[in-house]
Amino acid sequence: MHALPEELTLLRDLARGFANDVVRPLAPQIEREHRVPRELLAQMAEAGLTAVAVPTEYGGAGLGETGLCVVMEELTQACFASAVTFGAHASIGTMSVLVGGSPEQKQHWLPKMANGEVLGCYALSEANAGSDPAAMTTKAVRVDGGWRIDGEKVWITSGDMADLVTVFAVTDPSAGARGVTAFLVPKGTPGLSVGKREEKMGQRGSSTVVLAFDNCVVPDALRLGAVGEGFKIAMATLDRGRLALGANCLGCAKEAQRLSVDWAKTRVAFGKPIAEHQMIAAMLADSATDIYAMEAMVYRTASMCDAHVPYSRESAMTKLFCSEALDRVVDRAVQIHGGMGYSAEYKIEQLYRDARVTRIYEGTSEIQRLVIARDVLKKGL
Ligand code: COS
């Protein structure tokens, strides 16, 4: 484990205690019922976890993206779906308001998001605009005193649980990415409805739904950022989200490795624990090395974000590397467990399924390579 400053060590201990005492015992039920209870989010808020990355002037703990990564890493070790549900709110839900909000909007919403009174979510993707969100067709047109939003967003994590949706819509169809504007839509706004819920390969407890906007009118005061600035807000929020997702991957990889080490020390083959067979030991060594690199990337990039230096490329690198390294780690974990790694009776099978989507959501590996390559070609090394 890397060295953390004292306040983050305290946070890690708090998050670890919460993850082990509260989340871990619930994890089997969450997987069985495909549902993270809303009460769990309330307990996370009560423990102070939803406030971690919110600045102190808005009622938060001011521990930045580094603090958020610490929490994400710990929660994921106990239950990936719970960590993702936490992230839909505390990462991209809340951070979109921090990134794009006016001082008044931040003053109004962030304290409530920090204390869990208002749960956020982030609605960008559409059925025909996933990797290329500038191709979105959800539109917002000016009406008396505000904006009317029409369209459908898909793959929205916690869209059914959220009290406040950050949604991106086209306000100038001729302007491409520069014609997108962001809005906040509170739950209960007429015209906002929750549609189909996805049945997924993994992270089954985290809800993933369609959000429909039909003649949904919001006042101009709920416009987030300037007209035409929505795409940049979306991307800057994803810079943070991708980094936090790296921390999810790190947590999941640690859990898989811990289970693999325990298994390798106790499972006997050819008269000795399989850990004493060099081919198994080599797998453990490779996973340990992957985990070390993941940890280094997550916390280095988080420190860049917190120091307000440009980190989009590094965030994409972290997301890319961590999601692909996680795949290697869970794959080795299944291999080390042999038949038991393929059995639904053991957690490894779930971790293998939970891990797969990390190479897809919040930007596929291909998109991360595109972001990195563009930046390298523009700025050099
Ligand atoms: N932060 C702030 N602004 C950014 C940015 C970032 N990280 N990335 C891009 N922008 C700005 C650009 O500077 C550009 O602004 P100007 O028009 O003023 O120059 C604008 O946004 C458009 O950028 P670009 O031309 O690079 O847009 P593209 O349409 O080519 O898209 C990619 C860029 C592919 C990187 C983007 O569409 C993307 O990330 N796609 C994946 C989306 C995704 O992750 N979806 C998953 C679901 S969300 S949970």
Side-chain angles (χ1 to χ4, degrees):
M1 165 53 72
H2 61 298
L4 287 170
E6 196 193 344
E7 54 187 0
L8 291 172
T9 305
L10 292 173
L11 174 66
R12 189 195 59 206
D13 293 347
L14 171 81
R16 186 169 295 174
F18 184 89
N20 284 331
D21 298 346
V22 182
V23 182
R24 201 173 275 280
L26 271 180
Q29 178 195 325
I30 288 170
E31 175 69 3
R32 220 174 29 248
E33 297 179 0
H34 295 198
R35 192 178 79 89
V36 172
R38 181 165 176 131
E39 307 84 73
L40 183 58
L41 270 289
Q43 286 175 286
M44 288 174 180
E46 206 171 307
L49 302 181
T50 48
V52 162
V54 175
T56 48
E57 64 263 42
Y58 301 117
L63 295 173
E65 203 59 37
T66 308
L68 193 67
C69 287
V70 167
V71 176
M72 283 294 228
E73 186 191 329
E74 295 302 328
L75 292 179
T76 313
Q77 292 181 56
C79 172
F80 211 140
S82 298
V84 165
T85 306
F86 169 80
H89 165 61
S91 178
I92 50 180
T94 304
M95 291 303 118
S96 56
V97 179
L98 181 67
V99 164
S102 64
E104 297 72 33
Q105 285 171 330
K106 289 196 261 199
Q107 206 56 257
H108 181 77
W109 293 107
L110 289 178
K112 296 187 175 81
M113 299 180 98
N115 70 20
E117 191 185 330
V118 169
L119 294 184
C121 75
Y122 173 98
L124 177 69
S125 296
E126 297 185 3
N128 294 310
S131 287
D132 180 13
M136 70 177 69
T137 56
T138 294
K139 61 180 193 303
V141 295
R142 278 187 195 274
V143 292
D144 215 12
W147 298 83
R148 191 187 69 230
I149 306 172
D150 288 283
E152 201 170 84
K153 297 289 179 179
V154 302
W155 289 104
I156 310 309
T157 306
S158 302
D160 51 348
M161 198 188 268
D163 306 298
L164 189 68
V165 181
T166 300
V167 64
F168 301 88
V170 174
T171 45
D172 180 356
S174 66
R178 288 183 179 183
V180 173
T181 303
F183 298 91
L184 294 173
V185 183
K187 184 181 187 167
T189 304
L192 167 63
S193 61
V194 178
K196 181 185 138 209
R197 187 186 154 126
E198 297 293 337
E199 285 301 323
K200 310 191 297 289
M201 176 194 285
Q203 303 186 6
R204 290 176 173 164
S206 132
S207 80
T208 308
V209 297
V210 169
L211 284 182
F213 300 82
D214 180 15
N215 211 351
C216 180
V217 176
V218 291
D220 192 49
L222 289 179
R223 172 172 45 80
L224 194 66
V227 174
E229 288 289 310
F231 194 81
K232 286 183 187 170
I233 294 170
M235 292 299 118
T237 303
L238 282 181
D239 284 346
R240 284 175 173 264
R242 289 167 181 167
L243 168 55
L245 214 153
N248 284 136
C249 295
L250 173 60
C252 184
K254 284 189 174 178
E255 180 75 359
Q257 176 79 335
R258 190 171 18 253
L259 292 168
S260 300
V261 168
D262 289 349
W263 180 257
K265 281 181 177 170
T266 50
R267 171 76 176 176
V268 173
F270 302 103
K272 56 185 178 183
I274 60 171
E276 291 175 27
H277 293 293
Q278 287 184 350
M279 279 189 266
I280 300 292
M283 284 194 249
L284 293 173
D286 286 344
S287 288
T289 307
D290 271 330
I291 288 169
Y292 182 67
M294 292 162 92
E295 191 169 81
M297 289 181 86
V298 166
Y299 289 101
R300 183 176 194 273
T301 307
S303 71
M304 292 174 76
C305 174
D306 290 336
H308 306 291
V309 297
Y311 73 104
S312 298
R313 182 202 297 195
E314 288 76 8
S315 167
M317 287 173 161
T318 302
K319 201 275 190 184
L320 172 66
F321 183 86
C322 290
S323 57
E324 298 198 341
L326 172 59
D327 248 13
R328 293 192 289 275
V329 172
V330 291
D331 189 73
R332 289 183 200 113
V334 170
Q335 200 65 18
I336 290 166
H337 281 76
M340 296 308 143
Y342 200 65
S343 164
E345 264 182 53
Y346 285 75
K347 193 179 177 186
I348 289 297
E349 180 266 352
Q350 185 190 336
L351 297 183
Y352 187 80
R353 289 185 287 99
D354 285 347
R356 185 59 183 86
V357 75
T358 62
R359 282 164 50 201
I360 298 172
Y361 62 18
E362 293 202 31
T364 60
S365 286
E366 292 70 31
I367 288 294
Q368 308 311 326
R369 288 191 168 89
L370 183 89
V371 170
I372 298 161
R374 278 186 185 178
D375 201 62
V376 168
L377 293 169
K378 197 164 142 197
K379 299 184 193 149
L381 276 182

